[in-house]
Amino acid sequence: MTGVSRRRLFGMTGAGVAIAGTAAGTGYFAASRPDETAATVPFRGPHQAGITTPAQDRMHFVAFDVTTTDRAELAALLRDWTQAAERMTAGLEAIENGAVGGRTEAPPGDTGEALDLPASALTLTIGFGPSLFDGRFGLGDRRPAALLDLPHFPADNLDPARSSGDLCVQACANDPQVAVHAVRNLARIGFGKVAVRWSQLGFGRTSTTSRAQSTPRNLFGFKDGTNNLKAEDTAELDRHVWVQPGDGPEWMSGGTYLVARRIRMHIETWDRTSLAEQEAIVGRAKGSGAPNGAAEEFDPVDLQARSPDGEFRIAADAHIRLAAPATHGGVRMLRRGYNFTDGSDGLGRLDAGLFFVCFNRDPRTQFVPVQRMLSKKDAMMEYLEHTGSAIFACPPGVPPGGHWGDSLFG
Amino acid sequence: MTGVSRRRLFGMTGAGVAIAGTAAGTGYFAASRPDETAATVPFRGPHQAGITTPAQDRMHFVAFDVTTTDRAELAALLRDWTQAAERMTAGLEAIENGAVGGRTEAPPGDTGEALDLPASALTLTIGFGPSLFDGRFGLGDRRPAALLDLPHFPADNLDPARSSGDLCVQACANDPQVAVHAVRNLARIGFGKVAVRWSQLGFGRTSTTSRAQSTPRNLFGFKDGTNNLKAEDTAELDRHVWVQPGDGPEWMSGGTYLVARRIRMHIETWDRTSLAEQEAIVGRAKGSGAPNGAAEEFDPVDLQARSPDGEFRIAADAHIRLAAPATHGGVRMLRRGYNFTDGSDGLGRLDAGLFFVCFNRDPRTQFVPVQRMLSKKDAMMEYLEHTGSAIFACPPGVPPGGHWGDSLFG
C-alpha cells in the first residue's frame, strides 16, 4: 500500500485533530490517560478489528442490500472494499490521491471530508446477513446454522426499514466524521451493486472492551458494561466470541456473529421513576455502579445475597440478574453498543436509546436465550422498545494479501 | 451557586475525559493546539454564550412547543431552566445532588448520564420563535419586526415536523453526551409545560468562529466557513450580529436572530460529479480551500478575476460569489452549522447534510435576501434540499442574578 497520510497532504490544519495537547487550564483534569484518539488500529490479523478493539467513542453502522445479482461482481466489490477499508483505517484516502489528486474531469475517488483528519482509531468490520445466503449468489450451502433468523421476542416493535440487511459494515472511530466518511465512501464504491438499507449513528460508547477503559453511562444514567468481556480475557473470548474449528462451516473459524438491536429507551418515563426504583430495576447503584448490596463497581454480583428482611438484594426481576452469566449456565457475550439520539418522535419526546451490538460465538445459545429471558421477565422492559434488529456473520480477520470475501467465496 | 463538579463525585473515571494527554505515538501529530475539550464557558455576560464561542465539535439543537397557556408558568420555567443551564454549563448536575444524592423515593433531579463527564465547553443558547408571540402569553406587542415569518424559498421542501417552534435551545459541547444530557434535562424540567417539537444532532462543526480555529469540512468535502465572521471581529459583530439599541424592541438589544435550516445534501449525486465541476460550483479548490484563481485558503475572494479566455475565475453561479458580502452590499452573517447524518432515506441513500445555523442582527436584510439569491441562482442548489427551517429571537446575555426570560417578560 502506498500513499501518504491524508493529513500530510495539506499540513496540520487542525480540524478534528484538536486532541493532542496539554490538560486544560480549568482545573478539571486531575489525571489523564494515553491519548487513543488519533491512533491507527491494524486492519489485518487473525480476527477482524472493531470487535475486541478498545471501544472507540463514536460509531456509524450501515446495512446494505446487494442490488447486483452477479456473484463475481459481489466478490469484486468485496475486494475493492477491502482495499479502501485498509487505506481509510490507516488514515488515508479511500484510493490513492482520491480526493483532489486525480483527473479533474473525473469524479473524485474519495469524498474528501476526512482530508485533514487522522485515522482516529477507525475500524471497519464486515458482516454477512442471512439473506445473502438465499441463493442469489450460490452461497446457500455456506450459510452457518448459527446465522439464524432471529425469533420474535415479546415487546419487539421492529421497523423493517431499520432491520436486516445482506451486508453490514460497523465503522467505529474517535471522530464521527471519520466513521461517516468511511461508510459513505464504501457506499459510493458500491454504487450500482449495493444500496444503503439503513444506517445508525451512535454518539457515545456504552461498552468497555479493555481493562484500560473506564465504564461509560447509558441514557438511563447508569454505568453500562461493567462485567463485559474484555480484550485481555483471551480464553474467555475463544469460548464466547470467536467461532472455533468444528463449530460449523470452516469459513467462519476465527469469525463471530454480530447481533444489532436498536433499542428505543423511553427516557421520559424513566426520568419520572424514583431513584430507588431505577436502582432496583438495574440491580446496581446509579452513582458508583456497585451491585445492589455491594460497595464498589467491580465487586462480585452476588445473586444470593439477601437483606435482613429476607428479600434479594438484587431483585428477582433486576436486569443484571436476568442477564448474568450465572442465570444462563455461564453464557457471556461481548457487548459493544452506543447511545443514540435521532431527533424526536412526533409525540413530544426524544427518539433516543441504545444501539445494542454484541458479538457471540453462537447466538442460538447466547444472544437468543438471554434476550428471550430479558424480554419476558426483565423489569427494565417496561421502559424499552426494540425498534430494529439484525444479525450478521462476521468472517475471520483478513490475512496479508487477502480480502473480506475470501473466506466466504473461497 | 453551590455543588461540586459532577466528576468529583466519582473521581477520575475517565469516560469521555479521554482528551487530556500527550500526542499519540503514531507519528500523526506534528503540532497541537490548546485543549479546549474540557473547558468551561462562562454562562453569563452581555451576550449569550454559544454564538461567538469558538465552535464546539458537537451540537444537539432542540425546538419546543409550549404546552402550558399560563404566562406565569412559562416565566417560571425560564427561571428554572436558567438555573439548570448555568449549572450544567459549569459541569454540574442540573440541580444540586440531582442524580443520586436526593431522596431515593423521588425521581432524580438529574438524569445522570453526564455524571463522570467534564463541562466539555457546553453552551446553552435560548431563542424565542415567532409563535411565542401569538397572543397566548400576552407577548403579541413585544414581537420584533425582525423576527419575521420566513418566506418560502425555491426548492424548499420543508417538513413541518422539523420546522418552527415556540422556543429553541442550542446545546453545543465537545462531548455529544454532554449536549444530549443538557437538552434532555431541560425537557425533563419542562415536562407538562413544553414538549419537544424536533431536535437535531450535529456530529461535526462546519464553522470557525475564532481565529484560533482551523476550517473544518462539510459533507461535500470542502472547507466551510473560511470567511466567516470571527469572535475577534468585535466591530463587525456589532454591525452584523448583535441587535443594537434602536433596532427594534429594547428587550432584544444585545441579542441576535438565529436562523436554522436543515439542508439535506444529495451526496450520492455530488460524488458522481467531476472534481472540476465541484470546484466550479463551490468557487474554491477542494484541497486547499483557495478561491478559484488564487493560491491559498485565506487569499482574498476576487470576484472580478478572469482567466485568459475572459471567463470569471469564480463562476457567475458559484456558491461563494452568490454568498459573498460584496454581492449583497456588504451583508455578512455569523454561521455556526454542523454536519449531520440521520440514517438513510429508504431509497438506498444516506440522509445526510448540513444543519445550517446563522446569527444575524436583522434577517430581513441578511439571511433572507442572501438565501433568496442562493435558492434561485446558486449552482449548488441542484444538490441541496432544505427540509427544515426555523427562526428564533435570541435575547441578550443574562446578567448576574438574571434569567433567560427577564428581557422578554420585563
Side-chain angles (χ1 to χ4, degrees), chain B residues 6-176:
Chain B
R6 289 185 303 233
R7 285 187 45 249
R8 287 190 206 142
L9 281 170
F10 301 107
M12 183 63 196
T13 54
V17 291
I19 308 304
T22 57
T26 59
Y28 266 36
F29 283 120
S32 64
R33 71 171 192 192
D35 186 353
E36 297 163 352
T37 308
T40 300
V41 179
F43 178 75
R44 295 179 188 271
H47 307 297
Q48 287 197 73
I51 300 167
T52 59
T53 304
Q56 300 95 325
D57 291 341
R58 327 284 171 218
M59 181 203 65
H60 192 193
F61 193 104
V62 63
F64 293 100
D65 292 324
V66 179
T67 53
T68 180
T69 53
D70 185 319
R71 175 187 167 115
E73 196 166 54
L74 172 60
L77 173 62
L78 292 171
R79 282 195 294 276
D80 293 344
W81 270 4
T82 305
Q83 290 175 13
E86 181 167 24
R87 289 184 53 88
M88 293 190 287
T89 57
L92 304 170
E93 295 159 89
I95 71 164
E96 191 172 351
N97 290 322
V100 298
R103 290 168 47 246
T104 60
E105 304 77 18
D110 180 284
T111 58
E113 70 271 25
L115 269 177
D116 315 312
L117 307 178
S120 308
L122 174 69
T123 55
L124 295 167
T125 312
I126 198 164
F128 305 129
S131 52
L132 195 71
F133 301 86
D134 62 5
R136 281 174 292 166
F137 308 105
L139 298 169
D141 61 353
R142 294 181 76 76
R143 178 174 173 175
L147 184 67
L148 76 168
D149 294 308
L150 291 174
H152 174 83
F153 298 102
D156 273 4
N157 186 17
L158 304 181
D159 178 355
R162 295 185 189 275
S163 299
S164 309
D166 292 330
L167 300 170
C168 79
V169 176
Q170 173 195 266
C172 295
N174 288 320
D175 184 328

Side-chain angles (χ1 to χ4, degrees), chain A residues 33 36 53-59 172-174 202-219 222-226 228 230 335-340 353-355, chain B residues 13-18 113 117 175-177:
Chain A
R33 72 174 191 188
E36 297 164 351
T53 304
Q56 298 96 324
D57 291 340
R58 327 284 171 218
M59 181 202 66
C172 296
N174 288 321
F203 68 76
R205 69 178 175 93
T206 61
S207 290
T208 306
T209 56
S210 162
R211 297 198 194 287
Q213 297 189 297
S214 60
T215 314
R217 292 181 185 273
N218 60 32
L219 292 183
F222 279 75
K223 293 190 180 186
D224 199 335
T226 297
N228 199 15
K230 304 290 198 300
R335 282 165 291 147
R336 216 171 184 291
Y338 285 82
N339 295 322
F340 72 81
L354 176 70
F355 187 72
Chain B
T13 54
V17 291
E113 70 271 25
L117 307 178
D175 184 328
Q177 185 130 333

